[in-house]
């Protein structure tokens, strides 16, 4: 679990908590410094009222090529040519789980993680989306950072927690993870609450030249 420390006064002064409205989000041709990207996230309180995982239809075959979203991610992220059997069943490859630095060759040990978990997305604005937009979010192949193949144990350790409560166990992965989290929230115009924003600024303060680029989802 990520240990939270008070954000330094210097970070607060350099990046005040002023959020741009969702309507101002655009594709970014030039990457933003991580802390500056955090500052773009709109603020709102979170509510899980009415959440059900089934509200997000996922692992669909959107392009009707016999490969569902899970298979598409496994094929795209394998470091070698994956073995794909009939019905787009991925049976072998090589995957690097960047959360914990583990390399796997059997897909059974992998989960496909929603960078911003479905429940967190619901809390942060998806509760008012149409079912079609929630489906698009749950199967987002339009940005590499939206879905990531990682070890099942780290994905299940993360569960539906945001960066105020969970960070990857591999310390070297945390700046990348934070940038990916912020980019996903900006892409889908999702909000952050005060605890989450504080944690993101604190992490960003130690991430040097880490940058964020994103394109707003259709």
């Amino acid at each position: 679990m990520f240990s939270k420390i008070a954000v330094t006064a210097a970070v607060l002064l350099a990046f005040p908590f002023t959020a741009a409205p969702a309507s101002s989000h655009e594709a970014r041709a030039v990457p933003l410094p991580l802390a500056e990207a955090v500052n773009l996230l709109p603020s709102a309180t979170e509510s899980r009222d009415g959440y059900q995982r089934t509200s997000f239809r996922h692992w669909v075959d959107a392009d009707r090529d016999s490969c569902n979203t899970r298979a598409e991610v496994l094929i795209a992220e394998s470091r070698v040519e994956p073995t794909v059997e009939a019905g787009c069943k991925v049976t072998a490859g090589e995957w690097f789980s960047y959360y914990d630095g583990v390399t796997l060759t059997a897909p059974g040990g992998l989960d496909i993680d929603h960078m911003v978990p479905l429940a967190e997305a619901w809390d942060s604005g998806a509760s008012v989306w149409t079912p079609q937009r929630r489906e698009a979010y749950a199967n987002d192949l339009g940005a590499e950072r939206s879905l990531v193949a990682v070890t099942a144990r780290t994905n299940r350790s993360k569960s539906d927690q945001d960066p105020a409560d969970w960070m990857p166990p591999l310390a070297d992965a945390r700046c990348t993870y934070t940038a990916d989290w912020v980019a996903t929230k900006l892409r889908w115009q999702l909000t952050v609450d005060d605890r989450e924003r504080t944690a993101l600024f604190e992490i960003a303060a130690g991430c040097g030249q880490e940058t964020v680029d994103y394109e707003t989802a259709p």
Side-chain angles (χ1 to χ4, degrees):
M1 181 176 291
F2 179 70
S3 176
K4 295 179 289 299
I5 311 170
V7 181
T8 64
V11 173
L12 288 170
L13 288 171
F15 303 101
F17 293 171
T18 54
S23 60
S24 71
H25 293 171
E26 300 174 350
R28 294 284 172 171
V30 179
L32 296 169
L34 178 54
E36 187 175 331
V38 173
N39 203 46
L40 288 178
L41 292 165
S43 293
T45 57
E46 294 188 354
S47 172
R48 197 155 297 183
D49 290 349
Y51 170 72
Q52 298 180 71
R53 188 171 175 81
T54 53
S55 296
F56 295 81
R57 184 168 175 255
H58 54 287
W59 304 167
V60 302
D61 178 11
D63 57 4
R64 302 183 184 279
D65 65 350
S66 299
C67 297
N68 67 18
T69 305
R70 174 182 166 84
E72 297 274 17
V73 175
L74 290 173
I75 292 168
E77 294 193 4
S78 178
R79 292 182 161 186
V80 300
E81 186 71 25
T83 302
V84 184
E85 298 182 354
C88 201
K89 182 179 181 181
V90 182
T91 58
E94 184 180 292
W95 296 273
F96 179 72
S97 170
Y98 91 83
Y99 291 3
D100 50 4
V102 174
T103 298
L104 299 91
T105 57
L110 294 161
D111 279 353
I112 306 304
D113 182 37
H114 290 93
M115 174 55 57
V116 176
L118 301 180
E120 170 68 20
W122 179 274
D123 299 349
S124 306
S127 60
V128 300
W129 291 353
T130 64
Q132 292 76 20
R133 187 164 180 79
R134 286 196 289 266
E135 180 177 323
Y137 176 83
N139 298 278
D140 183 15
L141 295 172
E144 292 183 3
R145 64 192 71 219
S146 294
L147 299 167
V148 57
V150 296
T151 56
R153 66 173 176 268
T154 54
N155 183 48
R156 294 165 196 182
S157 171
K158 172 182 172 178
S159 186
D160 59 7
Q161 299 175 94
D162 72 26
D165 295 309
W166 189 90
M167 289 295 286
L170 184 64
D172 288 347
R174 292 174 184 173
C175 290
T176 299
Y177 178 82
T178 303
D180 289 352
W181 179 279
V182 172
T184 302
K185 284 219 159 179
L186 288 170
R187 172 170 168 77
W188 289 92
Q189 302 177 24
L190 295 169
T191 63
V192 293
D193 63 14
D194 290 344
R195 280 186 76 243
E196 182 182 350
R197 184 185 295 281
T198 296
L200 292 171
F201 269 118
E202 180 185 311
I203 300 160
C207 286
Q209 300 304 307
E210 191 74 38
T211 60
V212 172
D213 62 274
Y214 68 95
E215 183 174 341
T216 305

